Amino acid sequence: MRVLSIETSCDDTAVAIVELDEETQSIRVVANLLSSQTALHAAWGGVVPMLAAREHSRNIQPLLTAVFTEAALTPNDINLIAVTAGPGLTPALVIGVQTAKTLAYRWHKPLLGIHHIEGHIYANFICPSQSKMERQYNTFPLLALVVSGGHTQLILMRDHFNYEILGETQDDAVGEAFDKVAKMLGLAYPGGPEVARHASCVNPPTAEIQVPQNHITLPRPMINSGDYNFSFSGIKTAVLYTLQKQNPETLTDENFINTVCAEFQNASVEVLVSKTKQAINQYAPKTVVIAGGVSANVHLREQLAHMINQNFSDVAFLTPEFKYSLDNAAMIGSAALLRWQRMSEHDRNQALTTWEMLEPNANLKLQSF
Ligand code: KG4
Ligand code: ZN
């Protein structure tokens, strides 16, 4: 069973061909291509939706041709098409959705619309490329810590495609806060990886809890709120106040910038790890996964792994491979294949025509199936 998947929710045009080994039920990526627009949007300090749409429409056709060439397959070898239906930027989503609908019509294939965050979660079910090892699929209940540029959520899954949102950010997403702090410090776009890079100059990643080697202390908002909600705009504003108190030379001092980045990263990660620990205690999941672009953050990965190893030795901790942490189409294919496996014959037949109703939805809500 093979899927052609497309993702255009933000500033990366991505297409992939992913297959499910029916015998082992494992997900393997046959080809995964991406055309990044980072350099284009960097000039504007953020993603410009109409520019993103223009680039998607330029890039998607060559990428589709290239993905079939790389996979040495033809459309006849594809059983299913999948596309990110939302959430995201409407002009950007439209390009992927319209392309997928056109292909479903032209090739007479079923089409599934996938939620972007669902894709990030299912990136954890892709078999590691370097190993023949299978990922475990009967690992529910599963707790997903979702950390992206638009979302920060703790989601409990009692089974595949069954989502209970335990809590979420009340203001900024954690990735958004990383990006805004980077901007305040005059760092390059996109900010998250830049903040992480500067932070690692102060605190090289280790498995130990890290003590900031400086006099800047930022708040850990809602860390003791007793629920699973988050707030990141408070940490961001505290950074702003800290910067406002400095003289101009300090603001451009490399050591100072590194120190602010390290303390901001420590504060954010501490809150994420603390709430995850609390949720593991209450819900006793068999598996914990991280999902979304901030899952590429090495300090977050290490602190979560450390907390889980120390306190919950029987809980499996999965992280996506780095190339599937950030936006990509393979994750959309992974979610679509595992969903297809669980669909009735009737629903599969419906998917040959229900795509006519598929529309991009910038505010799509995560739905259980
Ligand atoms: O999932 P993603 O690629 O796009 C969305 O769905 O939003 O996540 C992008 C976010 C951005 O805010 C980016 O700055 C952040 O992930 N990010 C990171 C790192 N790599 C990407 N944040 C912290 N540390 C990183 N290494
Ligand atoms: Zn994403």
Side-chain angles (χ1 to χ4, degrees):
M1 177 87 196
R2 277 192 207 95
V3 61
L4 170 71
S5 49
I6 299 174
E7 148 68 46
T8 65
S9 65
C10 191
D11 60 343
D12 291 312
T13 321
V15 299
I17 296 178
V18 183
E19 65 187 15
L20 176 88
D21 182 325
E22 312 270 344
E23 208 176 298
T24 61
Q25 289 287 298
S26 56
I27 302 282
R28 296 207 177 265
V29 177
V30 185
N32 181 50
L33 298 181
L34 185 134
S35 171
S36 168
Q37 305 172 9
T38 303
L40 174 76
H41 297 286
W44 303 89
V47 180
V48 184
M50 291 314 287
L51 276 185
R54 188 192 71 188
E55 292 302 299
H56 287 318
S57 73
R58 274 185 187 159
N59 295 332
I60 197 141
Q61 191 58 55
L63 275 177
L64 283 166
T65 307
V67 85
F68 279 105
T69 306
E70 185 169 319
L73 296 170
T74 71
N76 287 337
D77 302 310
I78 299 296
N79 313 96
L80 175 67
I81 300 171
V83 64
T84 305
L89 306 167
T90 300
L93 288 164
V94 165
I95 307 295
V97 170
Q98 281 307 320
T99 305
K101 287 169 80 165
T102 307
L103 295 178
Y105 171 73
R106 178 75 178 79
W107 297 339
H108 196 62
K109 308 276 184 200
L111 169 61
L112 295 181
I114 300 292
H115 190 285
H116 182 76
I117 294 302
E118 185 164 65
H120 275 302
I121 293 172
Y122 277 88
N124 286 285
F125 287 85
I126 298 173
C127 281
S129 40
Q130 301 306 327
S131 104
K132 292 255 175 283
M133 193 185 82
E134 309 301 343
R135 285 237 152 159
Q136 292 297 309
Y137 298 110
N138 294 319
T139 49
F140 296 95
L142 178 152
L143 179 71
L145 174 65
V146 174
V147 282
S148 75
H151 292 75
T152 309
Q153 297 176 315
L154 270 165
I155 299 179
L156 182 69
M157 294 172 66
R158 297 184 198 276
D159 199 353
H160 274 295
F161 303 101
N162 181 298
Y163 308 105
E164 183 187 339
I165 297 175
L166 303 178
E168 59 195 332
T169 184
Q170 306 297 291
D171 39 59
D172 289 355
V174 61
E176 189 182 354
F178 266 85
D179 293 339
K180 287 179 177 167
V181 165
K183 213 168 186 172
M184 289 178 210
L185 289 167
L187 304 180
Y189 164 87
E194 278 298 294
V195 170
R197 191 172 65 76
H198 282 272
S200 70
C201 298
V202 176
N203 276 326
T206 69
E208 296 303 314
I209 297 292
Q210 313 221 332
V211 180
Q213 305 161 3
N214 54 64
H215 303 297
I216 297 171
T217 307
L218 297 171
R220 273 73 173 149
M222 296 185 76
I223 198 162
N224 295 318
S225 64
D227 58 16
Y228 299 109
N229 291 329
F230 302 90
S231 164
F232 290 96
S233 78
I235 313 182
K236 178 197 69 186
T237 310
V239 171
L240 181 67
Y241 291 154
T242 303
L243 299 188
Q244 283 171 347
K245 280 189 243 146
Q246 311 303 319
N247 59 44
E249 300 85 67
T250 309
L251 290 176
T252 53
D253 178 74
E254 193 70 6
N255 284 330
F256 174 76
I257 292 175
N258 294 347
T259 300
V260 174
C261 289
E263 172 60 0
F264 171 74
Q265 182 176 264
N266 280 342
S268 307
V269 166
E270 232 176 274
V271 176
L272 292 167
V273 171
S274 162
K275 298 263 167 166
T276 306
K277 183 177 178 188
Q278 196 183 313
I280 301 174
N281 270 324
Q282 181 167 355
Y283 294 98
K286 288 198 182 126
T287 312
V288 174
V289 305
I290 40 174
V294 185
S295 74
N297 187 284
V298 174
H299 183 58
L300 174 61
R301 286 180 177 225
E302 296 202 347
Q303 294 300 309
L304 278 170
H306 182 68
M307 178 274 286
I308 293 167
N309 285 341
Q310 292 287 305
N311 301 282
F312 311 100
S313 53
D314 51 344
V315 173
F317 176 48
L318 298 184
T319 54
E321 271 188 89
F322 281 105
K323 62 183 169 193
Y324 304 132
S325 272
L326 299 175
D327 288 351
N328 66 90
M331 67 186 196
I332 303 301
S334 172
L337 283 172
L338 289 168
R339 168 106 71 84
W340 185 260
Q341 286 303 101
R342 283 155 186 81
M343 281 166 60
S344 66
E345 208 50 42
H346 173 263
D347 287 349
R348 288 179 180 181
N349 285 331
Q350 293 267 306
L352 278 166
T353 51
T354 43
W355 57 260
E356 288 172 20
M357 268 102 70
L358 184 66
E359 293 295 341
N361 182 347
N363 301 310
L364 190 65
K365 296 278 169 276
L366 191 60
Q367 268 182 359
S368 297
F369 287 92

